């Protein structure tokens, strides 16, 4: 069976709802993700109310708590989930649930590991904001975080007794990163998820804070039967470690191992071009992309490649680096590695100056995307999926 036919077959499966008789045995599907990008100082005694925006809904949830980049055991005093009311840290009355770990309300996560909660009975709609509150009663060392949340979350610095508060009045300290939470899965009618795998362009840098205008969010708004997981890390690289482990190193844990993953969208490489030392051998990118695709195919995922977008005017841009970008894009478009290609370069470049972003998509730094640019990427990927 040809690659295009296989790809369409997988998408047909994804877009077909589960039959009613299967509702009691529905699979888990990822609905939200934040790939660990670094560490932050621990907040001993605090309750951290992470606000996360789901893609698909369901009738049960489970949370992936992470100590992946920690150096000591992470002691959890409590983890709760609830639907968010309004725009602050309040919970919708009657929706707050205490999560358990093998039926215990406390747990310890070893360094370098993630831990899933038990299933929590809570009906969550698509596009809901979920409160995931983590109480850490003691200093467990560096806290695994996702640093560029573009979302205000809240902390009760004296958190004892407040993890189960529906009233958010104890949560007075705003933060702009996600602590200890790497993912949320749901059990419902969705039959699979798309993993958006990349750097700051996928993480959402340049889009409006607290608006969920990253391109994976906008893609999710168009495909309510598909979970869309954002595995972007600002500063991440394809070939070597940068901010967070390299794409090759983190592929399994941030993408292939995710519940219900069916399609991988790869939008990564510009930080290698701009890094020090510059990675200027196009064949190295080609080999890395082929490796990503082969590993995804071995897990029965289809893979979409996204061309690298223009960035002339950004301080790191040079003629030599532009030549590398063009060579990488030539491979993405015509190298035959990917099952499908979203040509974001063509979609976002300025026709009058193809090395630059179209001004309407440029937030001002000439590299990242504003909300309109994020929508253009989402539209490009969506056209490929359909």
């Amino acid at each position: 069976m040809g690659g295009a036919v296989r790809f369409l077959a997988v998408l047909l499966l994804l877009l077909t709802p589960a039959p009613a008789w299967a509702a009691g045995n529905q699979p888990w599907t990822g609905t939200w993700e934040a790939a660990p990008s670094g560490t932050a100082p621990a907040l001993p005694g605090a309750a951290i109310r992470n606000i996360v925006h789901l893609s698909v809904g369901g009738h049960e949830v489970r949370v992936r708590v992470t100590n992946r980049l920690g150096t000591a055991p992470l002691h959890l005093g409590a983890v709760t989930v609830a639907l968010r009311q309004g725009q602050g840290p309040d919970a919708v009355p009657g929706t707050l649930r205490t999560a358990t770990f093998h039926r215990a309300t406390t747990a310890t996560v070893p360094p370098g590991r993630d831990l899933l909660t038990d299933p929590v009975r809570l009906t969550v709609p698509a596009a809901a904001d979920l409160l995931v509150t983590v109480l850490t009663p003691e200093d467990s060392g560096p806290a695994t975080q996702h640093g560029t949340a573009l979302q205000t979350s809240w902390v009760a610095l004296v958190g004892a007794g407040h993890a189960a508060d529906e009233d958010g009045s104890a949560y007075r300290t705003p933060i702009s990163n996600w602590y200890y939470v790497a993912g949320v899965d749901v059990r419902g009618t969705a039959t699979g998820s798309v993993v958006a795998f990349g750097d700051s362009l996928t993480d959402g840098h340049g889009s409006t804070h607290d608006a969920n205008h990253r391109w994976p969010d906008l893609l999710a708004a168009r495909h309510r039967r598909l979970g869309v997981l954002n595995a972007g890390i600002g500063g991440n690289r394809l070939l070597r470690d940068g901010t967070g482990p390299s794409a090759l190193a983190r592929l399994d844990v941030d993408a292939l191992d995710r519940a219900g993953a069916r399609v991988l969208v790869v939008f990564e490489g510009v930080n290698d071009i701009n890094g020090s030392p510059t990675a200027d051998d196009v064949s190295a990118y080609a080999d890395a992309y082929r490796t990503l695709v082969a590993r995804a195919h071995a897990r029965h995922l289809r893979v979409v490649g996204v061309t690298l977008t223009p960035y002339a005017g950004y301080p790191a841009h040079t003629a030599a680096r532009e030549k590398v970008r063009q060579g990488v894009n030539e491979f993405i478009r015509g190298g035959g590695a990917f099952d499908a290609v979203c040509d974001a370069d063509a979609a976002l470049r300025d026709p009058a100056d193809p090395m630059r972003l179209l001004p309407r998509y440029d937030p001002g730094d000439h590299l990242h995307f504003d909300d309109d640019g994020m929508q253009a990427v989402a539209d490009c990927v969506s056209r490929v999926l359909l």
Side-chain angles (χ1 to χ4, degrees), residues 287-305:
D287 289 344
Y289 290 135
R290 289 192 188 100
T291 298
L292 291 174
V293 171
R295 288 167 59 186
H297 281 176
R299 301 283 289 274
H300 308 293
L301 275 73
R302 301 295 87 201
V303 188
V304 175

Side-chain angles (χ1 to χ4, degrees), residues 274-344:
N274 290 336
S276 180
T278 297
D280 57 6
D281 181 359
V282 172
S283 67
Y285 293 83
D287 289 344
Y289 290 135
R290 289 192 188 100
T291 298
L292 291 174
V293 171
R295 288 167 59 186
H297 281 176
R299 301 283 289 274
H300 308 293
L301 275 73
R302 301 295 87 201
V303 188
V304 175
V306 182
T307 54
L308 305 183
T309 45
Y311 65 99
Y314 185 70
H317 185 269
T318 66
R321 288 172 171 174
E322 176 66 22
K323 184 177 179 180
V324 177
R325 186 182 75 89
Q326 295 290 350
V328 171
N329 281 349
E330 182 178 347
F331 174 79
I332 294 172
R333 292 187 185 104
F338 295 100
D339 298 300
V341 172
C342 158
D343 196 345

